[in-house]
Amino acid sequence: MLAAAATCKVSTDLSRDIALEVTAPDSLEEYDTLKPTARVLTGRGDSAATAVFWFSPDTTIAVLDSTTGRTVVVHPGGTGRLVAKGGGLVSNPLAIRTLAAADTVLAGPTLDTVDIAGPTALDSLSDSLTIEIADTVTAAANPIVPLAGRPVVYTLVHPSAAGPVTLVTQDTAHALADTVTAVSSVSGIAFVKVRLLAPDTIPDSVVVVASARRAVGTTVPGLPDTFVVRFRGVAVADTLRAAAPLADTVHVSAVPPDSLSDSLSVEVGDTSGATGSITPLPDRAVVFAITAPQTPGPVTLVTSDTARTLVTTDTVTTDARGAAAVKLRLIAGPAPASVEVTASAKRGVSARLPGSPVRFTVRFEP
């Protein structure tokens, strides 16, 4: 919104018209009508009943009614000046940008298939669902002129339940949104992406509708447009189970007196609903933690038989057999009577995997 004013010489007559205050939008689209406002102010700051007339010194815009200032675009893509006069005052010019009316839409691919990207996070992002807003020029070297700054509304229409997916305009965004307004860039392109939020309920497909309107309220020709995003997911883990005995005894009298437990191993899998068989799942994160004793130092978790650095919590990725394992090493001071280690995993980015935590007990004896 633009504002301009004009003032006259200072006078002791407070009833005189001393200022002309005008306002108008800073841009005007083809086929739309701009109606500015103006008032003449007296020395007391009151509005005077003085007629105001409007005109433009440019051919980019046209003032259709000099008394109301009703203005339309003549030549889009430029800037026109709008001026008011009244009570012997003339306002400073208001610069009005003239915008072409969108009459063409070029949609990007309307079908995308998403493979679940990270089996440990199960957080997947579609390709851009793009709409290009443009104006068609009948006589020009480039008959399609991209239009910047035009809002395009994207709406998630399927699935109807909120939660499993969201619309985002930034790759780092995770907030739940089923309607997003994206603004076209200098190349005329607006876009959103679809992000999977709830990997426990992966939808077969997601339907997104894009729409845009001209300033006069009519729908841009070619819209609405419909995009379909299909998700092709990896198996979702639903089982964590021990793959080794839950108890182990370490004899500290061994020579040399550095003692290492057997492997504390678990397996992550996917259970078949039909047969009940479990398919091992690789590349899934399992968190091992020493939960007792709570004072760190006498023992550590290791994934290499030569390691001795103090580690009380470690994340291990399952191998091709779906297994992840650590060992327990005594590294300092007197051996505790027993040590408890838990192994836990999550299903994607949501709830703890059924079977978590698996608890191992390692006893130290002479």
Side-chain angles (χ1 to χ4, degrees), residues 180-208:
V180 169
T181 299
V183 178
S184 61
S185 65
V186 293
S187 58
I189 294 177
F191 74 91
V192 297
K193 296 182 180 181
V194 174
R195 161 162 273 141
L196 178 66
L197 289 180
D200 296 341
T201 53
I202 301 174
D204 292 333
S205 61
V206 175
V207 180
V208 178

PDB file of all heavy atoms in Angstrom, residues 180-208:
ATOM      1  N   VAL A 180      -1.068 -25.431   1.891  1.00  0.00           N
ATOM      2  CA  VAL A 180       0.094 -24.549   1.869  1.00  0.00           C
ATOM      3  C   VAL A 180      -0.041 -23.608   0.677  1.00  0.00           C
ATOM      4  O   VAL A 180      -0.406 -24.034  -0.426  1.00  0.00           O
ATOM      5  CB  VAL A 180       1.406 -25.354   1.757  1.00  0.00           C
ATOM      6  CG1 VAL A 180       2.584 -24.433   1.463  1.00  0.00           C
ATOM      7  CG2 VAL A 180       1.662 -26.139   3.034  1.00  0.00           C
ATOM      8  N   THR A 181       0.273 -22.331   0.905  1.00  0.00           N
ATOM      9  CA  THR A 181       0.313 -21.365  -0.186  1.00  0.00           C
ATOM     10  C   THR A 181       1.764 -21.111  -0.565  1.00  0.00           C
ATOM     11  O   THR A 181       2.555 -20.643   0.262  1.00  0.00           O
ATOM     12  CB  THR A 181      -0.358 -20.043   0.207  1.00  0.00           C
ATOM     13  OG1 THR A 181      -1.733 -20.295   0.532  1.00  0.00           O
ATOM     14  CG2 THR A 181      -0.291 -19.045  -0.938  1.00  0.00           C
ATOM     15  N   ALA A 182       2.117 -21.453  -1.787  1.00  0.00           N
ATOM     16  CA  ALA A 182       3.469 -21.237  -2.300  1.00  0.00           C
ATOM     17  C   ALA A 182       3.428 -20.082  -3.298  1.00  0.00           C
ATOM     18  O   ALA A 182       2.472 -19.949  -4.061  1.00  0.00           O
ATOM     19  CB  ALA A 182       3.999 -22.494  -2.968  1.00  0.00           C
ATOM     20  N   VAL A 183       4.454 -19.246  -3.284  1.00  0.00           N
ATOM     21  CA  VAL A 183       4.515 -18.073  -4.154  1.00  0.00           C
ATOM     22  C   VAL A 183       5.479 -18.351  -5.300  1.00  0.00           C
ATOM     23  O   VAL A 183       6.591 -18.862  -5.085  1.00  0.00           O
ATOM     24  CB  VAL A 183       4.951 -16.832  -3.367  1.00  0.00           C
ATOM     25  CG1 VAL A 183       5.061 -15.619  -4.280  1.00  0.00           C
ATOM     26  CG2 VAL A 183       3.961 -16.551  -2.238  1.00  0.00           C
ATOM     27  N   SER A 184       5.074 -18.006  -6.507  1.00  0.00           N
ATOM     28  CA  SER A 184       5.910 -18.285  -7.672  1.00  0.00           C
ATOM     29  C   SER A 184       7.194 -17.455  -7.643  1.00  0.00           C
ATOM     30  O   SER A 184       7.206 -16.304  -7.210  1.00  0.00           O
ATOM     31  CB  SER A 184       5.144 -18.015  -8.968  1.00  0.00           C
ATOM     32  OG  SER A 184       4.750 -16.658  -9.050  1.00  0.00           O
ATOM     33  N   SER A 185       8.270 -18.062  -8.110  1.00  0.00           N
ATOM     34  CA  SER A 185       9.583 -17.420  -8.147  1.00  0.00           C
ATOM     35  C   SER A 185       9.707 -16.538  -9.385  1.00  0.00           C
ATOM     36  O   SER A 185       8.747 -16.374 -10.152  1.00  0.00           O
ATOM     37  CB  SER A 185      10.668 -18.494  -8.174  1.00  0.00           C
ATOM     38  OG  SER A 185      10.581 -19.240  -9.384  1.00  0.00           O
ATOM     39  N   VAL A 186      10.893 -15.974  -9.605  1.00  0.00           N
ATOM     40  CA  VAL A 186      11.113 -15.137 -10.787  1.00  0.00           C
ATOM     41  C   VAL A 186      10.927 -15.935 -12.071  1.00  0.00           C
ATOM     42  O   VAL A 186      10.650 -15.365 -13.130  1.00  0.00           O
ATOM     43  CB  VAL A 186      12.515 -14.501 -10.760  1.00  0.00           C
ATOM     44  CG1 VAL A 186      12.624 -13.501  -9.638  1.00  0.00           C
ATOM     45  CG2 VAL A 186      13.595 -15.569 -10.629  1.00  0.00           C
ATOM     46  N   SER A 187      11.063 -17.230 -11.993  1.00  0.00           N
ATOM     47  CA  SER A 187      10.831 -18.082 -13.165  1.00  0.00           C
ATOM     48  C   SER A 187       9.370 -18.521 -13.272  1.00  0.00           C
ATOM     49  O   SER A 187       9.024 -19.343 -14.117  1.00  0.00           O
ATOM     50  CB  SER A 187      11.737 -19.314 -13.117  1.00  0.00           C
ATOM     51  OG  SER A 187      11.512 -20.055 -11.932  1.00  0.00           O
ATOM     52  N   GLY A 188       8.524 -17.981 -12.381  1.00  0.00           N
ATOM     53  CA  GLY A 188       7.099 -18.280 -12.431  1.00  0.00           C
ATOM     54  C   GLY A 188       6.709 -19.598 -11.788  1.00  0.00           C
ATOM     55  O   GLY A 188       5.555 -20.009 -11.877  1.00  0.00           O
ATOM     56  N   ILE A 189       7.647 -20.254 -11.106  1.00  0.00           N
ATOM     57  CA  ILE A 189       7.396 -21.600 -10.588  1.00  0.00           C
ATOM     58  C   ILE A 189       7.111 -21.571  -9.086  1.00  0.00           C
ATOM     59  O   ILE A 189       7.856 -20.973  -8.308  1.00  0.00           O
ATOM     60  CB  ILE A 189       8.590 -22.519 -10.878  1.00  0.00           C
ATOM     61  CG1 ILE A 189       8.724 -22.737 -12.387  1.00  0.00           C
ATOM     62  CG2 ILE A 189       8.439 -23.857 -10.160  1.00  0.00           C
ATOM     63  CD1 ILE A 189       9.921 -23.565 -12.788  1.00  0.00           C
ATOM     64  N   ALA A 190       6.027 -22.210  -8.721  1.00  0.00           N
ATOM     65  CA  ALA A 190       5.691 -22.467  -7.318  1.00  0.00           C
ATOM     66  C   ALA A 190       5.690 -23.977  -7.113  1.00  0.00           C
ATOM     67  O   ALA A 190       5.404 -24.738  -8.033  1.00  0.00           O
ATOM     68  CB  ALA A 190       4.331 -21.876  -6.965  1.00  0.00           C
ATOM     69  N   PHE A 191       6.019 -24.413  -5.902  1.00  0.00           N
ATOM     70  CA  PHE A 191       6.069 -25.850  -5.669  1.00  0.00           C
ATOM     71  C   PHE A 191       5.874 -26.168  -4.191  1.00  0.00           C
ATOM     72  O   PHE A 191       6.091 -25.316  -3.318  1.00  0.00           O
ATOM     73  CB  PHE A 191       7.405 -26.443  -6.136  1.00  0.00           C
ATOM     74  CG  PHE A 191       8.567 -26.109  -5.230  1.00  0.00           C
ATOM     75  CD1 PHE A 191       8.922 -26.946  -4.186  1.00  0.00           C
ATOM     76  CD2 PHE A 191       9.282 -24.934  -5.419  1.00  0.00           C
ATOM     77  CE1 PHE A 191       9.971 -26.622  -3.338  1.00  0.00           C
ATOM     78  CE2 PHE A 191      10.337 -24.602  -4.584  1.00  0.00           C
ATOM     79  CZ  PHE A 191      10.681 -25.447  -3.539  1.00  0.00           C
ATOM     80  N   VAL A 192       5.475 -27.381  -3.941  1.00  0.00           N
ATOM     81  CA  VAL A 192       5.543 -27.994  -2.616  1.00  0.00           C
ATOM     82  C   VAL A 192       6.090 -29.402  -2.796  1.00  0.00           C
ATOM     83  O   VAL A 192       6.212 -29.901  -3.924  1.00  0.00           O
ATOM     84  CB  VAL A 192       4.165 -28.062  -1.908  1.00  0.00           C
ATOM     85  CG1 VAL A 192       3.598 -26.687  -1.654  1.00  0.00           C
ATOM     86  CG2 VAL A 192       3.202 -28.937  -2.697  1.00  0.00           C
ATOM     87  N   LYS A 193       6.434 -30.024  -1.681  1.00  0.00           N
ATOM     88  CA  LYS A 193       6.786 -31.439  -1.671  1.00  0.00           C
ATOM     89  C   LYS A 193       5.921 -32.145  -0.635  1.00  0.00           C
ATOM     90  O   LYS A 193       5.352 -31.504   0.257  1.00  0.00           O
ATOM     91  CB  LYS A 193       8.276 -31.628  -1.345  1.00  0.00           C
ATOM     92  CG  LYS A 193       9.229 -31.040  -2.379  1.00  0.00           C
ATOM     93  CD  LYS A 193      10.681 -31.309  -2.017  1.00  0.00           C
ATOM     94  CE  LYS A 193      11.628 -30.729  -3.059  1.00  0.00           C
ATOM     95  NZ  LYS A 193      13.053 -31.013  -2.737  1.00  0.00           N
ATOM     96  N   VAL A 194       5.820 -33.450  -0.780  1.00  0.00           N
ATOM     97  CA  VAL A 194       5.083 -34.262   0.189  1.00  0.00           C
ATOM     98  C   VAL A 194       6.095 -35.005   1.046  1.00  0.00           C
ATOM     99  O   VAL A 194       7.014 -35.643   0.520  1.00  0.00           O
ATOM    100  CB  VAL A 194       4.144 -35.267  -0.507  1.00  0.00           C
ATOM    101  CG1 VAL A 194       3.508 -36.206   0.516  1.00  0.00           C
ATOM    102  CG2 VAL A 194       3.058 -34.519  -1.276  1.00  0.00           C
ATOM    103  N   ARG A 195       5.934 -34.885   2.358  1.00  0.00           N
ATOM    104  CA  ARG A 195       6.828 -35.581   3.281  1.00  0.00           C
ATOM    105  C   ARG A 195       6.044 -36.618   4.073  1.00  0.00           C
ATOM    106  O   ARG A 195       4.949 -36.344   4.565  1.00  0.00           O
ATOM    107  CB  ARG A 195       7.492 -34.589   4.234  1.00  0.00           C
ATOM    108  CG  ARG A 195       8.068 -35.241   5.489  1.00  0.00           C
ATOM    109  CD  ARG A 195       9.069 -34.360   6.190  1.00  0.00           C
ATOM    110  NE  ARG A 195      10.400 -34.550   5.631  1.00  0.00           N
ATOM    111  CZ  ARG A 195      11.285 -33.588   5.422  1.00  0.00           C
ATOM    112  NH1 ARG A 195      10.980 -32.346   5.715  1.00  0.00           N
ATOM    113  NH2 ARG A 195      12.472 -33.850   4.909  1.00  0.00           N
ATOM    114  N   LEU A 196       6.615 -37.806   4.191  1.00  0.00           N
ATOM    115  CA  LEU A 196       6.034 -38.855   5.025  1.00  0.00           C
ATOM    116  C   LEU A 196       6.404 -38.576   6.473  1.00  0.00           C
ATOM    117  O   LEU A 196       7.576 -38.417   6.810  1.00  0.00           O
ATOM    118  CB  LEU A 196       6.566 -40.217   4.587  1.00  0.00           C
ATOM    119  CG  LEU A 196       6.094 -41.432   5.379  1.00  0.00           C
ATOM    120  CD1 LEU A 196       4.603 -41.642   5.191  1.00  0.00           C
ATOM    121  CD2 LEU A 196       6.862 -42.672   4.951  1.00  0.00           C
ATOM    122  N   LEU A 197       5.385 -38.503   7.350  1.00  0.00           N
ATOM    123  CA  LEU A 197       5.620 -38.225   8.763  1.00  0.00           C
ATOM    124  C   LEU A 197       5.434 -39.451   9.643  1.00  0.00           C
ATOM    125  O   LEU A 197       6.111 -39.602  10.648  1.00  0.00           O
ATOM    126  CB  LEU A 197       4.672 -37.130   9.252  1.00  0.00           C
ATOM    127  CG  LEU A 197       4.914 -35.704   8.763  1.00  0.00           C
ATOM    128  CD1 LEU A 197       3.868 -34.778   9.363  1.00  0.00           C
ATOM    129  CD2 LEU A 197       6.309 -35.234   9.123  1.00  0.00           C
ATOM    130  N   ALA A 198       4.489 -40.297   9.288  1.00  0.00           N
ATOM    131  CA  ALA A 198       4.139 -41.438  10.134  1.00  0.00           C
ATOM    132  C   ALA A 198       4.388 -42.732   9.376  1.00  0.00           C
ATOM    133  O   ALA A 198       3.503 -43.242   8.688  1.00  0.00           O
ATOM    134  CB  ALA A 198       2.681 -41.356  10.573  1.00  0.00           C
ATOM    135  N   PRO A 199       5.595 -43.276   9.477  1.00  0.00           N
ATOM    136  CA  PRO A 199       5.930 -44.455   8.666  1.00  0.00           C
ATOM    137  C   PRO A 199       5.198 -45.721   9.074  1.00  0.00           C
ATOM    138  O   PRO A 199       5.226 -46.697   8.354  1.00  0.00           O
ATOM    139  CB  PRO A 199       7.442 -44.601   8.899  1.00  0.00           C
ATOM    140  CG  PRO A 199       7.669 -43.958  10.217  1.00  0.00           C
ATOM    141  CD  PRO A 199       6.719 -42.820  10.296  1.00  0.00           C
ATOM    142  N   ASP A 200       4.524 -45.696  10.229  1.00  0.00           N
ATOM    143  CA  ASP A 200       3.786 -46.897  10.627  1.00  0.00           C
ATOM    144  C   ASP A 200       2.543 -47.106   9.760  1.00  0.00           C
ATOM    145  O   ASP A 200       2.011 -48.206   9.691  1.00  0.00           O
ATOM    146  CB  ASP A 200       3.357 -46.786  12.092  1.00  0.00           C
ATOM    147  CG  ASP A 200       4.566 -46.729  13.018  1.00  0.00           C
ATOM    148  OD1 ASP A 200       5.651 -47.132  12.566  1.00  0.00           O
ATOM    149  OD2 ASP A 200       4.425 -46.272  14.154  1.00  0.00           O
ATOM    150  N   THR A 201       2.063 -46.023   9.140  1.00  0.00           N
ATOM    151  CA  THR A 201       0.872 -46.120   8.292  1.00  0.00           C
ATOM    152  C   THR A 201       1.178 -45.469   6.954  1.00  0.00           C
ATOM    153  O   THR A 201       0.710 -44.374   6.661  1.00  0.00           O
ATOM    154  CB  THR A 201      -0.331 -45.437   8.961  1.00  0.00           C
ATOM    155  OG1 THR A 201       0.056 -44.087   9.314  1.00  0.00           O
ATOM    156  CG2 THR A 201      -0.763 -46.169  10.213  1.00  0.00           C
ATOM    157  N   ILE A 202       1.978 -46.127   6.144  1.00  0.00           N
ATOM    158  CA  ILE A 202       2.381 -45.574   4.857  1.00  0.00           C
ATOM    159  C   ILE A 202       1.210 -45.661   3.880  1.00  0.00           C
ATOM    160  O   ILE A 202       0.730 -46.756   3.580  1.00  0.00           O
ATOM    161  CB  ILE A 202       3.592 -46.326   4.290  1.00  0.00           C
ATOM    162  CG1 ILE A 202       4.777 -46.229   5.261  1.00  0.00           C
ATOM    163  CG2 ILE A 202       3.985 -45.778   2.927  1.00  0.00           C
ATOM    164  CD1 ILE A 202       5.970 -47.055   4.856  1.00  0.00           C
ATOM    165  N   PRO A 203       0.704 -44.526   3.375  1.00  0.00           N
ATOM    166  CA  PRO A 203      -0.409 -44.578   2.417  1.00  0.00           C
ATOM    167  C   PRO A 203       0.076 -45.083   1.060  1.00  0.00           C
ATOM    168  O   PRO A 203       1.222 -44.862   0.669  1.00  0.00           O
ATOM    169  CB  PRO A 203      -0.862 -43.112   2.329  1.00  0.00           C
ATOM    170  CG  PRO A 203       0.363 -42.330   2.678  1.00  0.00           C
ATOM    171  CD  PRO A 203       1.136 -43.156   3.672  1.00  0.00           C
ATOM    172  N   ASP A 204      -0.814 -45.790   0.353  1.00  0.00           N
ATOM    173  CA  ASP A 204      -0.466 -46.239  -0.997  1.00  0.00           C
ATOM    174  C   ASP A 204      -0.224 -45.044  -1.915  1.00  0.00           C
ATOM    175  O   ASP A 204       0.675 -45.059  -2.754  1.00  0.00           O
ATOM    176  CB  ASP A 204      -1.574 -47.122  -1.570  1.00  0.00           C
ATOM    177  CG  ASP A 204      -1.674 -48.444  -0.841  1.00  0.00           C
ATOM    178  OD1 ASP A 204      -0.654 -48.890  -0.306  1.00  0.00           O
ATOM    179  OD2 ASP A 204      -2.774 -49.011  -0.796  1.00  0.00           O
ATOM    180  N   SER A 205      -1.054 -44.020  -1.779  1.00  0.00           N
ATOM    181  CA  SER A 205      -0.908 -42.840  -2.617  1.00  0.00           C
ATOM    182  C   SER A 205      -1.416 -41.615  -1.884  1.00  0.00           C
ATOM    183  O   SER A 205      -2.235 -41.714  -0.961  1.00  0.00           O
ATOM    184  CB  SER A 205      -1.665 -43.011  -3.944  1.00  0.00           C
ATOM    185  OG  SER A 205      -3.048 -43.181  -3.702  1.00  0.00           O
ATOM    186  N   VAL A 206      -0.915 -40.459  -2.321  1.00  0.00           N
ATOM    187  CA  VAL A 206      -1.318 -39.165  -1.774  1.00  0.00           C
ATOM    188  C   VAL A 206      -1.766 -38.296  -2.941  1.00  0.00           C
ATOM    189  O   VAL A 206      -1.100 -38.254  -3.980  1.00  0.00           O
ATOM    190  CB  VAL A 206      -0.144 -38.498  -1.020  1.00  0.00           C
ATOM    191  CG1 VAL A 206      -0.521 -37.097  -0.566  1.00  0.00           C
ATOM    192  CG2 VAL A 206       0.285 -39.354   0.164  1.00  0.00           C
ATOM    193  N   VAL A 207      -2.890 -37.605  -2.776  1.00  0.00           N
ATOM    194  CA  VAL A 207      -3.425 -36.749  -3.835  1.00  0.00           C
ATOM    195  C   VAL A 207      -3.375 -35.293  -3.363  1.00  0.00           C
ATOM    196  O   VAL A 207      -3.875 -34.963  -2.286  1.00  0.00           O
ATOM    197  CB  VAL A 207      -4.866 -37.136  -4.204  1.00  0.00           C
ATOM    198  CG1 VAL A 207      -5.397 -36.220  -5.312  1.00  0.00           C
ATOM    199  CG2 VAL A 207      -4.922 -38.593  -4.640  1.00  0.00           C
ATOM    200  N   VAL A 208      -2.754 -34.449  -4.185  1.00  0.00           N
ATOM    201  CA  VAL A 208      -2.612 -33.020  -3.877  1.00  0.00           C
ATOM    202  C   VAL A 208      -3.194 -32.215  -5.036  1.00  0.00           C
ATOM    203  O   VAL A 208      -2.910 -32.507  -6.206  1.00  0.00           O
ATOM    204  CB  VAL A 208      -1.133 -32.645  -3.670  1.00  0.00           C
ATOM    205  CG1 VAL A 208      -0.992 -31.149  -3.396  1.00  0.00           C
ATOM    206  CG2 VAL A 208      -0.525 -33.464  -2.536  1.00  0.00           C
TER     207      VAL A 208
END
